[in-house]
Amino acid sequence: MSIETGEPANVESMFAEAQATPVTDELEKLRSVLVEQLPRDALIKFEFDGKLRVHLDVRRFEDVAHVEALLPSLAGGIYRDLQRGLSRHNSFLHRVTASVRR
């Protein structure tokens, strides 16, 4: 609203609402498959530095074995080169990292 007249101001948005991109759509598909299969409290993060990787953080050590057994069979076997370790920023979480080959 205009301060002087009390009527709506004629202001345009600086940033148009972004449309979904093919990359975003593809990552969302991969994430949705993981969300359906992983423990409810698992954290899912994708990282790209020339190669796409997924980091899965789970609380219980038993969930690590479950994730390691499950990943190679999901999405046509695109998750490979699994590694396990601790989450970088939370020592209470166990991390499983996999390369995503698509």
Side-chain angles (χ1 to χ4, degrees):
M1 292 208 152
S2 171
I3 296 174
E4 295 144 1
T5 63
E7 295 181 16
N10 190 11
V11 178
E12 293 180 34
S13 175
M14 287 183 61
F15 304 104
E17 193 169 314
Q19 297 291 325
T21 64
V23 174
T24 302
D25 293 344
E26 189 68 21
L27 289 173
E28 180 54 35
K29 288 177 190 174
L30 295 174
R31 190 184 85 64
S32 66
V33 169
L34 293 170
V35 166
E36 289 175 10
Q37 300 294 323
L38 296 177
R40 190 172 54 88
D41 60 349
L43 301 175
I44 303 167
K45 298 176 187 174
F46 288 97
E47 172 187 35
F48 181 79
D49 62 355
K51 294 181 181 179
L52 183 60
R53 291 182 185 85
V54 63
H55 302 289
L56 307 168
D57 295 338
V58 294
R59 292 204 177 277
R60 298 180 323 162
F61 189 73
E62 296 82 18
D63 290 335
V64 171
H66 172 74
V67 169
E68 288 177 331
L70 183 67
L71 272 182
S73 66
L74 293 178
I78 64 170
Y79 300 106
R80 300 184 183 179
D81 305 324
L82 277 63
Q83 298 175 350
R84 74 165 62 174
L86 293 176
S87 178
R88 286 185 188 177
H89 304 291
N90 188 335
S91 60
F92 294 107
L93 296 177
H94 304 279
R95 174 168 283 183
V96 176
T97 298
S99 296
V100 182
R101 300 202 179 152
R102 192 96 192 196

